[in-house]
Amino acid sequence: MMRMRALLLAACAGAFAAPATASDLWDRFQSPPADARPMLRWWWFGPAVTDAEIDREIRAMKAGGFGGFEVQPTYPLTPDDPQAGRVNIPFLSKDFVARLAHAGETARAEKMRIDVTIGTGWPFGGAHVPVTEAAALIRKVDLPVAAGRDRIVLPPLPAGETYLAAFLSGRRVLIADGAVAVTPPAGGRTLTVFVAGRTGQQVKRAAVGGEGFVIDHVDAAAVTHHLRVVGDRLLDAFPKSAPPYAMFSDSLEAYGSSWTGDLPAEFRKRRGYELLDHLPALFDTGAESAGVRHDWALTLSELVDERYLTPIDAWAKAHGTRFRAQVYGFPPPRLSSNALVALPEGEGAPWRRFTSTRWATSAAHLYGKPVVSSETWTWLHSPSWAATPLDMKVEADRHFLQGVNQLIGHGWPYSAPGLAEPGWAFYAASALNDHNPWYVAMPAVTRYLTRASAMLREGAPADQVAIYLPTEDAFAALTPADASVDKAMARYLPEDMIAPVLDAGFGFDFVDAQAVTAGKLTARILILPALERIDAAAYAAIAHWKAKGGIVIAIDHAPNLSGGLIDGAEATRRVHAIGSGIFAGGGRIVARGALAAALRAAATPDVALTKADPRIGFVHRKLDGGDLYFVANTSETAIETRARFIGDNQRGAWWDAETGRRWASGTGDIPIRLAPYESRFLLFEKDADALPAEPVHAERIVADLSRDWSLTLGGQAAGKPGAAALWTQGGANQSFSGSGVYRRTIMLGALPAGRLSLDFGKGVPTAAEPDGRADRPRAMLAPPVREAAIVTINGKPAGTLWAPPYRLDVTGLLKPGANQIAVTVMNGALNALAARGPVDQQVLSLRYGERFTDQDQKLVVSQPSGLTGPITLVAD
């Protein structure tokens, strides 16, 4: 089986030979740089890993076209089984460090990038974290006060917790010797006590030996301790001359984290008043609540920057590596916090609403970071093993549309040898390793992804619009139970505030107060999205920017508040004065539904479609000599329309990252013809090569090849020759996961002039599954090839079929007379998994505790597999 996979990989790679060209950009498109290849999160379960299997899997990743991997040790999937060679190695042990060192050596030998998570599972933490350094919170306790009592003894607290303050009838009262003195009569009253406590959260999905408390991300001592115990130990696996490319921090998921030991002192120093006097405002809704919450959240955010992001980035630099981080979550970083890390990263595919993906790419654009990554394919077409190459493209394109140019695939499950196929998988992610039957088509998929990533690094972002993030509004509304700015954005920035910008034909980035005051606002138009509160200094910077020609559009109303509790009144007066100047001097206030029209009136759109179409997405980048666009059909239906593009007065060409072909686009009103989920680049350059136009005349069917195919499954004949049909139809071969080979001979006379293409059909749009979820993205198309195929004609590779249009240019491969066609179709692993039922995890859970639950197991059902037809040979 492995030998067959290797042969198919080689055939697929040969189908993408790059033609010679004099253009440097075209050369890079044809043979993109290795650092643009997608990477993989590599889960080490247990870890129960061996040097031999580490080597095999690294080489399999490379053969599939991946450029590297991120090692993330995670939960065990086997009890210790020495006889089978599966023994869990404790995290950070001598043996673990030796395995990591070996992975580094092999990565260097194979010229693969290696990143390492600074921990196990997520968020950071482990057995080394004492309760005094564990994630902290503030909680409220209400105690009834009985009539006649003059002293309330407070209940004892667990280790690591302290009483902060007590309030009776709205007034703060003194806590002394573990009690509160009250003045009788006190019947019917309630004593409210505030406690600096611990969330108690444990590291999620921890490896063996990595269990323990999550750290306090805003405690400098806790972060330093973690870097010393975990970070330095991981780096022991690498020579000082060859550290990992990057050290990684996943999203901050320290749920409920809302405090740290010296927060009152830091608050007093930064905000100028005593937080402990105003603690009820964090929990109640009163006159001062918004101001206090704003100041508290702002202080927490500053501490995340200063005590987590900045020191880890400095630590990484001191060790010759880089800090790659998902800078969002709990406790609350801001968008500009991304400026503090070398490699910002996001996640989330919905490109027409707020995501942490565009949060990260916006920061990268603002702060001059040319490469920005995203965690991609998380929850893709759940359950594990259901994801297809087309699913991969659908989600990757939606990340590209948000400005991503480095994919971190989620992911590659390490799988111990000797297991029943397909082996191990992560509980909640796509399984993209070479145990997946269609993996032999992966080089074609990664070639597309690499070309797209490389092209999206060319030039510079050209977004004309900036959307001001309502961070100040979010700060004023956050509560200790839910202190995350990026999570709050879904409430303050609904899709109907974002989609109109795209529908009007403009690209955009988010900006925040920090970026604006730092002079990073370079867009032509700034949108203020129904803000109540805005930082007064940022508003003044906006007014200064507007005076130099910037355009301000506020939705529904201008902001009318600013500042926290102490400076709020004065800052609000400044906001009113600044706003009067902005909107009396040409700034516009428009209703939410009029935003698209206001944008078109303010500036020329980057892309002006004949008719707005939410299915079409684009990215615009400015080159030294012209303009570059990525244009994608994000839907399961074909699109045919026209558009004008900024820069289209120069020579234009469509570049197809899937096939490696290019052709003239024309200028002016440019036709756009895209198959379902198809995407292309559009390049305008004055010195571009002159190219022929893409033929658009009616195609002529040369031969209908839908019948007379023989089929072998796993090397065995599967029935008599007949129509090209699914091998699972009629209930046959439902449990077969692997490769099926369709073969037939065609007789041709004189070949027609022009291009000949082998067309496998268009696929059928599908409705969403009744129990489908928005966080389980997938392609809504039943394709004619399930799930990928490699085609050879007369023994020569013709190409790989994995995404629409399911068509191959076979000009030059056919000859008059007899021609042999072989189509090797690979399905997924679900068919075999459905036949054997779920794995019993009872013994594993009894040994290690229940650390995971496999998701969506009711969806592990056999999938249609093979070809559906019709198959035709066409000339154009």
Side-chain angles (χ1 to χ4, degrees):
M1 182 67 177
M2 288 295 181
R3 175 173 172 77
M4 180 181 182
R5 287 178 178 170
L7 291 172
L8 287 170
L9 287 169
C12 184
F16 286 91
T21 174
S23 165
D24 288 343
L25 184 57
W26 178 246
D27 286 346
R28 291 195 297 274
F29 179 75
Q30 287 294 303
S31 300
D35 63 5
R37 294 172 186 162
M39 290 184 54
L40 291 159
R41 179 167 295 173
W42 190 10
W43 293 291
W44 286 11
F45 297 104
V49 297
T50 65
D51 288 351
E53 181 60 19
I54 285 170
D55 289 349
R56 193 201 71 76
E57 294 193 17
I58 289 175
R59 289 170 184 139
M61 293 180 204
K62 183 177 181 179
F66 292 100
F69 51 87
E70 165 210 313
V71 176
Q72 186 174 104
T74 189
Y75 56 85
L77 279 176
T78 180
D80 287 345
D81 187 358
Q83 289 186 336
R86 295 190 283 273
V87 177
N88 292 305
I89 304 169
F91 180 60
L92 300 183
S93 66
K94 180 180 178 181
D95 285 345
F96 172 83
V97 173
R99 302 290 78 72
L100 184 59
H102 186 82
E105 292 168 1
T106 304
R108 291 190 294 275
E110 297 294 337
K111 295 181 171 54
M112 297 276 280
R113 169 177 161 180
I114 177 172
D115 291 5
V116 179
T117 302
I118 316 172
T120 169
W122 68 95
F124 291 167
H128 61 286
V129 181
V131 69
T132 52
E133 293 180 359
L137 55 70
I138 179 172
R139 57 188 176 90
K140 183 178 78 165
V141 179
D142 289 328
L143 300 173
V145 179
R149 297 289 299 274
D150 61 359
R151 188 171 185 269
I152 307 300
V153 178
L154 302 179
L157 294 174
E161 298 196 346
T162 59
Y163 286 109
L164 292 169
F167 289 78
L168 186 65
S169 299
R171 297 180 61 186
R172 186 177 174 188
V173 293
L174 180 66
I175 300 175
D177 298 324
V180 174
V182 297
T183 303
R189 290 191 291 174
T190 298
L191 178 71
T192 300
V193 182
F194 295 91
V195 177
R198 304 290 166 176
T199 70
Q201 183 180 352
Q202 304 291 295
V203 175
K204 296 195 289 186
R205 323 301 176 215
V208 173
E211 307 87 347
F213 287 122
V214 167
I215 67 169
D216 181 349
H217 289 74
V218 289
D219 182 336
V223 174
T224 300
H225 185 200
H226 183 81
L227 289 176
R228 184 175 69 250
V229 173
V230 178
D232 290 350
R233 181 62 172 157
L234 292 170
L235 288 177
D236 285 344
F238 299 86
K240 293 190 185 310
S241 60
Y245 184 88
M247 302 298 286
F248 175 62
S249 169
D250 214 324
S251 52
L252 302 186
E253 297 180 27
Y255 302 120
S257 181
S258 54
W259 199 259
T260 197
D262 65 344
L263 183 62
E266 288 294 328
F267 188 97
R268 189 183 313 114
K269 180 173 67 177
R270 297 160 191 263
R271 309 282 88 88
Y273 66 99
E274 181 60 66
L275 176 60
L276 297 182
D277 291 339
H278 301 273
L279 291 180
L282 298 181
F283 295 83
D284 304 332
T285 301
E288 66 178 30
S289 292
V292 174
R293 288 176 178 177
H294 173 276
D295 292 343
W296 157 78
L298 175 59
T299 304
L300 275 179
S301 187
E302 291 170 347
L303 293 177
V304 172
D305 288 355
E306 297 167 16
R307 296 179 173 182
Y308 185 77
L309 299 173
T310 297
I312 298 179
D313 190 70
W315 170 84
K317 289 175 180 173
H319 289 87
T321 182
R322 304 159 185 83
F323 186 29
R324 177 167 64 87
Q326 297 178 355
V327 186
Y328 42 87
F330 310 79
R334 291 162 287 179
L335 178 140
S336 284
S337 301
N338 285 276
L340 303 174
V341 306
L343 300 170
E345 180 167 301
E347 61 183 307
W351 61 285
R352 289 174 59 84
R353 63 175 191 255
F354 177 87
T355 65
S356 60
T357 299
R358 201 179 297 266
W359 164 284
T361 60
S362 297
H365 295 166
L366 292 168
Y367 290 97
K369 297 178 184 292
V371 176
V372 56
S373 57
S374 62
E375 177 186 303
T376 317
W377 307 314
T378 307
W379 297 107
L380 179 68
H381 199 163
S382 184
S384 298
W385 303 107
T388 70
L390 179 57
D391 292 328
M392 290 178 67
K393 182 181 191 298
V394 167
E395 182 169 339
D397 282 353
R398 293 171 184 176
H399 285 257
F400 291 147
L401 289 173
Q402 297 178 77
V404 166
N405 54 22
Q406 174 71 70
L407 301 177
I408 311 291
H410 196 275
W412 182 289
Y414 175 99
S415 195
L419 299 168
E421 289 293 336
W424 286 339
F426 195 66
Y427 79 104
S430 49
L432 305 176
N433 66 17
D434 63 338
H435 291 273
N436 203 319
W438 57 256
Y439 187 78
V440 290
M442 190 66 84
V445 181
T446 55
R447 175 61 63 89
Y448 165 78
L449 299 174
T450 303
R451 280 180 173 150
S453 296
M455 288 294 282
L456 290 170
R457 299 180 186 187
E458 297 288 347
D463 297 318
Q464 296 191 70
V465 173
I467 299 177
Y468 189 94
L469 286 181
T471 305
E472 296 88 324
D473 281 344
F475 276 167
L478 294 185
T479 65
D482 196 11
S484 170
V485 171
D486 65 284
K487 182 182 175 184
M489 287 302 108
R491 181 166 71 253
Y492 292 104
L493 276 177
E495 187 171 339
D496 65 359
M497 285 190 188
I498 292 176
V501 181
L502 300 170
D503 291 340
F506 293 89
F508 72 91
D509 282 321
F510 297 125
V511 296
D512 65 359
Q514 286 174 287
V516 171
T517 55
K520 303 299 182 181
L521 178 57
T522 58
R524 186 175 183 186
I525 303 170
L526 176 66
I527 297 173
L528 304 179
L531 304 174
E532 295 296 334
R533 186 179 297 261
I534 191 169
D535 180 89
Y539 210 18
I542 289 168
H544 181 71
W545 165 83
K546 179 184 175 297
K548 293 186 174 182
I551 300 169
V552 178
I553 299 175
I555 298 177
D556 293 341
H557 56 78
N560 54 56
L561 297 170
S562 184
L565 181 66
I566 299 301
D567 61 348
E570 175 57 31
T572 293
R573 282 192 289 271
R574 289 181 60 201
V575 163
H576 289 167
I578 294 166
S580 296
I582 288 174
F583 294 104
R588 293 192 60 191
I589 298 176
V590 302
R592 189 174 304 189
L595 178 58
L599 287 169
R600 292 192 195 99
T604 301
D606 299 83
V607 179
L609 292 166
T610 302
K611 181 180 179 182
D613 191 332
R615 298 174 298 170
I616 296 179
F618 72 90
V619 172
H620 180 196
R621 294 183 68 86
K622 189 68 180 176
L623 305 176
D624 287 343
D627 294 85
L628 173 68
Y629 291 86
F630 174 70
V631 182
N633 178 358
T634 64
S635 78
E636 68 276 15
T637 55
I639 290 174
E640 185 163 350
T641 187
R642 288 179 173 270
R644 294 197 65 98
F645 296 81
I646 288 178
D648 65 7
N649 57 317
Q650 302 188 86
R651 182 175 287 165
W654 290 106
W655 291 18
D656 189 331
E658 184 179 343
T659 65
R661 295 176 54 243
R662 60 178 175 170
W663 59 91
S665 66
T667 58
D669 223 17
I670 294 175
I672 299 175
R673 301 181 186 89
L674 294 170
Y677 300 122
E678 190 175 18
S679 55
R680 295 192 191 118
F681 287 90
L682 180 58
L683 183 70
F684 297 103
E685 276 196 311
K686 61 182 179 181
D687 297 325
D689 296 336
L691 298 171
E694 177 79 345
V696 294
H697 51 270
E699 297 172 340
R700 178 170 62 86
I701 296 178
V702 176
D704 186 340
L705 308 180
S706 300
R707 305 193 63 79
D708 301 324
W709 293 90
S710 65
L711 171 64
T712 58
L713 293 178
Q716 302 295 316
K720 298 178 181 180
L726 298 172
W727 70 64
T728 50
Q729 68 180 8
N733 305 304
Q734 292 288 328
S735 62
F736 179 79
S737 290
S739 298
V741 183
Y742 294 79
R743 292 185 176 89
R744 68 157 293 169
T745 300
I746 61 170
M747 299 296 298
L748 296 175
L751 300 180
R755 186 174 63 183
L756 289 173
S757 298
L758 199 57
D759 192 303
F760 286 78
K762 299 184 183 304
V764 179
T766 61
E769 296 176 357
D771 55 354
R773 291 172 48 177
D775 61 352
R776 306 292 201 261
R778 56 171 294 189
M780 304 307 297
L781 184 77
V785 178
R786 304 294 297 266
E787 301 300 338
I790 294 176
V791 180
T792 61
I793 296 179
N794 297 323
K796 296 181 180 180
T800 303
L801 299 163
W802 62 277
Y806 290 91
R807 170 181 288 207
L808 295 173
D809 185 343
V810 295
T811 309
L813 294 175
L814 296 168
K815 64 183 189 302
N819 292 268
Q820 309 297 323
I821 302 178
V823 184
T824 302
V825 182
M826 299 80 68
N827 68 348
L830 282 187
N831 294 39
L833 284 171
R836 76 178 191 214
V839 176
D840 185 350
Q841 304 286 9
Q842 181 179 4
V843 173
L844 180 69
S845 295
L846 289 171
R847 173 65 180 85
Y848 296 111
E850 188 173 332
R851 303 195 185 194
F852 69 98
T853 301
D854 284 323
Q855 300 292 295
D856 299 326
Q857 291 304 290
K858 66 180 181 297
L859 301 179
V860 178
V861 295
S862 180
Q863 300 296 304
S865 304
L867 300 176
T868 64
I871 303 174
T872 54
L873 180 66
V874 297
D876 58 27

